Amino acid sequence: MNETDRKLGPTILKAENISLAFGGVKALTDISFEVKEHEILAIIGPNGAGKSSMLNVINGVYHPNAGSVTYKGNVRQRMKPHEAATQGIARTFQNIALFKGMSVLDNIMTGRTLKMNAGFLAQCLYVGRARNEEIEHRKKVEEIIDFLQIQSIRKTPVGRLPYGLQKRVELGRALAAEPTLLLLDEPMAGMNIEEKEDMSRFILDVNDEFGTTIVLIEHDMGVVMDLSDRIVVLDYGKKIGDGTPSDIRNNKAVIDAYLGVSD
Amino acid sequence: MFYREAGQFKTSYKADQAVFPIFQDRVFVAIWLLIGFVVVPMLANEYVFRAIFIPVIIMALAAIGLNLLVGYCGQVSLGSGAFMAVGAYAAYNFMIRIPELNPLICFLLGGLSATVVGVIFGIPSLRIKGFYLAVATLALQFFTDWTFSRIDWFTNYTPSGSIAVQPVAVWGFIFDSPIRKYFLCLTVLLIFTIIAKNLVRGRIGRAWMATRDMDVAAEIIGIRPIYAKLSAFAVSSFFIGVAGALWAFVHLGSWEPLAFDINLSFSILFMVIIGGLGSIVGGMLGATFITLLPLFLNQLPIWLGINMSTAMVSHLEYMIFGALIIFFLAVEPLGLARIWQITKEKLRLWPFPH
């Protein structure tokens, strides 16, 4: 279903000449790429290639030493993570970063924080907008719970859930913000084949139903080739490939650095 | 057998989001309110009010306040004694300088003054975490100790440095007898408990817990750490400040700066930890436990008929107290609230566990 039959919009995110160094260690060197609206872009590369750093630059956790990120036409050099959130960028983490003491429901509700605006006093008394807001957003959250098929665990503290479900809840939390750009950092790491299939379907559905643009990091080449419209390959902080899955599969530099040759 | 939610189906999100969605819990709380407002006043005598109920209630208020900060938002604070002092001295100053003000308003203004101090001393939390933050809040403790004993303006230039106040009078009604004081404190605790519960189940509460559990992820969702942390400091110190005003005006009646020293901060922190971090009922349980245990240990030799010197009793009291705290933390680190929760979960199956 990829490549031809999908309509891509204009460029939504553009990274230009991004360089990032921690002290003397260069994490990213002069990286440029574009993401089009409604696209699924995969970033691949060996460990330590700078993939996660790249995501961190996009949503403002790291500030690049050089270069700029253009998102929805706004150029920026420095931005705080919560500003990225207000602009519609959501993400999941490589090592699950859920709120362990809170229930699944509360975790996903937290994802809607930015959409809630009841005043402090109303919240103290749980009246008026504070109460209506809780109920109204609960409806949205339940839609996400239905979508991810996690109805039966909605009241369970996430710390007690198995790994695969935690990953799913984290996706749910990111979706709760109704993002335009979703960054997924290894959404399928450590999963068995069935869980991977489920997760892949969720990612495709999100992309399809909500029109969300997705940038994902993944190591499972089968998944990457199937899901993504385009692939960016990083190695030692440098971009060594950028193209459709079939281009990448035949790219000499990528084969040498990462994919290897099957015999 | 009696504690079952089977058959109680919620048909709206409103019903599901109620504080006590289970019918039996609602009955249980109603019974407690009945005990608090009707049964206890009928049975208790003056000594019991003065020595047990009033201090427990006021400390419960302080512990709930500190729990909002430590248990819900994850910011360790050793400054509760200081916030209580600010609440008490500020209320006192508002009262003597603007005599027309209603004392209850003065208590709230005392709480607000503690809020201001709390926000200022909460600023370090934006940079430092955990133990380091605890040390930073210790600074506040020493700062207020010094301020209220050295700057005479705060104590209205009383020569001894201690303050004595008249019983609180509101609209001609004087809270002078222990039972009246009890009702005043219980009502305040009830109102503040409801507010605390409303806050923690809403957006602000989730922002606090998110900051506690994973601050980076919270920020990426769009929760500004400065807002989450400082609001927790503000609300928490307001609660503790009001508790301080009540402690001074209703419980003590006359006090000196030493009444709000570091030991008080430690006791309130113990209450929160033993009661259960991140639990409203935990604050109440912890306050009850920490306040009553010394009284109980003190009386125990008399009940057992053992003849002991008072010095020996007080030494033993400290030792057993310390040992019990360690025992509790080792057996149930999540506190009394967790024990209560486990009991409820067991009760759902009782008496047929299979």
Side-chain angles (χ1 to χ4, degrees):
Chain A
M1 72 170 281
N2 47 19
E3 288 159 43
T4 49
D5 61 339
R6 281 154 37 119
K7 269 171 112 181
L8 302 183
T11 302
I12 187 170
L13 177 86
K14 194 165 162 192
E16 283 172 298
N17 312 104
I18 298 282
S19 293
L20 175 74
F22 301 105
V25 184
K26 285 183 179 164
L28 298 169
T29 317
D30 200 25
I31 295 195
S32 306
F33 65 90
E34 288 183 9
V35 186
K36 294 197 163 55
E37 207 173 336
H38 201 196
E39 187 174 36
I40 299 184
L41 177 90
I43 301 179
I44 62 171
N47 290 326
K51 306 183 294 293
S52 295
S53 299
M54 194 58 232
L55 289 198
N56 282 334
V57 167
I58 294 175
N59 75 344
V61 178
Y62 295 158
H63 305 297
N65 303 101
S68 64
V69 175
T70 312
Y71 177 66
K72 285 184 181 168
N74 301 320
V75 187
R76 57 174 164 92
Q77 252 111 29
R78 284 185 78 84
M79 161 151 90
K80 296 222 163 107
H82 64 84
E83 288 167 339
T86 19
Q87 294 183 14
I89 303 180
R91 81 174 279 187
T92 66
F93 292 82
Q94 184 175 357
N95 310 312
I96 300 171
L98 285 167
F99 309 126
K100 294 224 163 21
M102 299 162 73
S103 67
V104 170
L105 194 60
D106 277 343
N107 265 278
I108 302 178
M109 278 294 263
T110 312
R112 295 195 67 80
T113 301
L114 278 177
K115 304 208 175 287
M116 304 174 91
N117 49 13
F120 177 76
L121 271 183
Q123 290 190 67
C124 282
L125 305 173
Y126 205 69
V127 290
R129 197 193 271 168
R131 186 157 102 179
N132 299 336
E133 204 171 60
E134 286 286 313
I135 292 167
E136 190 185 306
H137 287 284
R138 174 76 187 272
K139 278 183 199 143
K140 278 279 176 196
V141 167
E142 289 291 340
E143 280 168 22
I144 292 167
I145 288 177
D146 285 346
F147 173 76
L148 295 173
Q149 296 159 13
I150 47 177
Q151 295 93 335
S152 58
I153 54 165
R154 59 160 79 79
K155 299 250 164 123
T156 316
V158 288
R160 288 194 208 166
L161 294 176
Y163 180 82
L165 281 179
Q166 290 197 9
K167 281 269 185 197
R168 213 184 276 190
V169 175
E170 203 185 11
L171 177 65
R173 188 181 66 185
L175 288 179
E178 297 176 39
T180 36
L181 175 64
L182 182 59
L183 311 174
L184 304 173
D185 197 343
E186 302 202 16
M188 283 162 249
M191 286 186 168
N192 64 29
I193 200 125
E194 224 167 295
E195 290 170 326
K196 277 185 186 173
E197 280 171 359
D198 282 345
M199 187 55 92
S200 306
R201 200 161 307 120
F202 291 135
I203 292 172
L204 287 174
D205 282 351
V206 168
N207 182 248
D208 240 28
E209 283 180 33
F210 311 135
T212 313
T213 310
I214 294 173
V215 175
L216 70 102
I217 294 176
E218 187 47 56
H219 278 296
D220 184 320
M221 276 310 114
V223 169
V224 169
M225 296 291 172
D226 282 352
L227 286 185
S228 43
D229 300 309
R230 226 150 40 79
I231 299 174
V232 168
V233 191
L234 302 185
D235 187 27
Y236 291 112
K238 296 199 176 75
K239 188 168 101 170
I240 57 169
D242 185 346
T244 60
S246 49
D247 294 344
I248 295 297
R249 207 174 273 138
N250 303 317
N251 183 324
K252 178 78 173 59
V254 177
I255 293 171
D256 288 346
Y258 185 51
L259 294 181
V261 192
S262 64
D263 36 28
Chain B
M1 177 171 244
F2 305 106
Y3 188 72
R4 287 269 198 289
E5 71 240 46
Q8 299 183 29
F9 301 112
K10 294 127 196 163
T11 50
S12 68
Y13 294 135
K14 194 180 151 193
D16 193 46
Q17 283 173 195
V19 179
F20 301 108
I22 301 174
F23 174 72
Q24 286 89 334
D25 279 340
R26 289 199 290 275
V27 173
F28 189 74
V29 170
I31 292 174
W32 269 110
L33 285 177
L34 201 69
I35 292 176
F37 279 98
V38 180
V39 180
V40 167
M42 288 198 304
L43 298 179
N45 62 29
E46 290 218 348
Y47 169 77
V48 175
F49 276 127
R50 200 171 287 150
I52 296 177
F53 283 112
I54 293 172
V56 165
I57 289 170
I58 299 175
M59 278 302 152
L61 178 60
I64 290 173
L66 184 64
N67 213 339
L68 293 179
L69 182 65
V70 182
Y72 284 94
C73 196
Q75 311 299 309
V76 186
S77 161
L78 279 174
S80 339
F83 291 128
M84 285 183 82
V86 171
Y89 282 94
Y92 172 72
N93 278 290
F94 278 113
M95 222 173 271
I96 54 165
R97 284 166 219 286
I98 317 173
E100 308 85 57
L101 272 183
N102 186 317
L104 294 183
I105 304 284
C106 290
F107 290 172
L108 294 182
L109 288 173
L112 282 177
S113 311
T115 304
V116 173
V117 176
V119 169
I120 294 169
F121 278 82
I123 291 172
S125 72
L126 303 174
R127 284 276 166 196
I128 51 183
K129 294 177 187 171
F131 293 120
Y132 303 97
L133 178 63
V135 173
T137 57
L138 255 186
L140 171 65
Q141 183 67 51
F142 295 127
F143 178 71
T144 51
D145 280 358
W146 180 85
T147 306
F148 294 128
S149 56
R150 298 290 167 192
I151 302 180
D152 295 336
W153 185 83
F154 286 110
T155 51
N156 202 24
Y157 303 101
T158 49
S160 62
S162 72
I163 290 173
V165 290
Q166 298 297 315
V168 180
V170 183
W171 297 301
F173 187 86
I174 303 169
F175 289 94
D176 49 358
S177 68
I179 188 164
R180 288 176 175 181
K181 290 177 177 176
Y182 168 79
F183 273 117
L184 174 67
C185 295
L186 191 63
T187 311
V188 172
L189 176 66
L190 181 67
I191 294 169
F192 275 75
T193 306
I194 293 171
I195 291 175
K197 187 67 202 175
N198 285 340
L199 285 178
V200 298
R201 67 183 168 140
R203 172 172 55 108
I204 289 189
R206 284 192 297 270
W208 291 343
M209 291 186 273
T211 308
R212 168 195 71 190
D213 285 348
M214 191 65 79
D215 50 356
V216 179
E219 199 177 352
I220 276 163
I221 280 172
I223 296 168
R224 300 170 66 182
I226 179 167
Y227 167 79
K229 289 178 180 173
L230 292 188
S231 66
F233 265 98
V235 176
S236 159
S237 13
F238 180 71
F239 274 55
I240 302 174
V242 171
L246 284 176
W247 186 254
F249 280 81
V250 178
H251 180 56
L252 297 176
S254 66
W255 73 93
E256 47 195 18
L258 223 61
F260 299 102
D261 66 355
I262 182 96
N263 288 326
L264 189 63
S265 297
F266 279 127
S267 320
I268 300 173
L269 190 62
F270 288 156
M271 288 172 195
V272 171
I273 293 171
I274 291 204
L277 288 165
S279 153
I280 301 277
V281 73
M284 300 187 188
L285 294 173
T288 313
F289 185 81
I290 299 276
T291 315
L292 293 193
L293 191 63
L295 286 176
F296 173 75
L297 291 176
N298 209 312
Q299 294 298 314
L300 197 61
I302 302 171
W303 292 339
L304 295 177
I306 303 168
N307 207 350
M308 241 188 270
S309 70
T310 41
M312 185 71 180
V313 171
S314 68
H315 290 319
L316 271 182
E317 187 186 309
Y318 277 118
M319 286 156 71
I320 298 174
F321 190 61
L324 273 176
I325 287 176
I326 294 171
F327 173 78
F328 257 97
L329 292 182
V331 173
E332 188 47 76
L334 295 174
L336 298 169
R338 177 74 190 137
I339 295 177
W340 169 234
Q341 202 186 345
I342 293 172
T343 317
K344 282 212 286 190
E345 278 170 22
K346 292 239 165 90
L347 259 182
R348 289 173 60 195
L349 300 175
W350 186 85
F352 307 112
H354 297 293

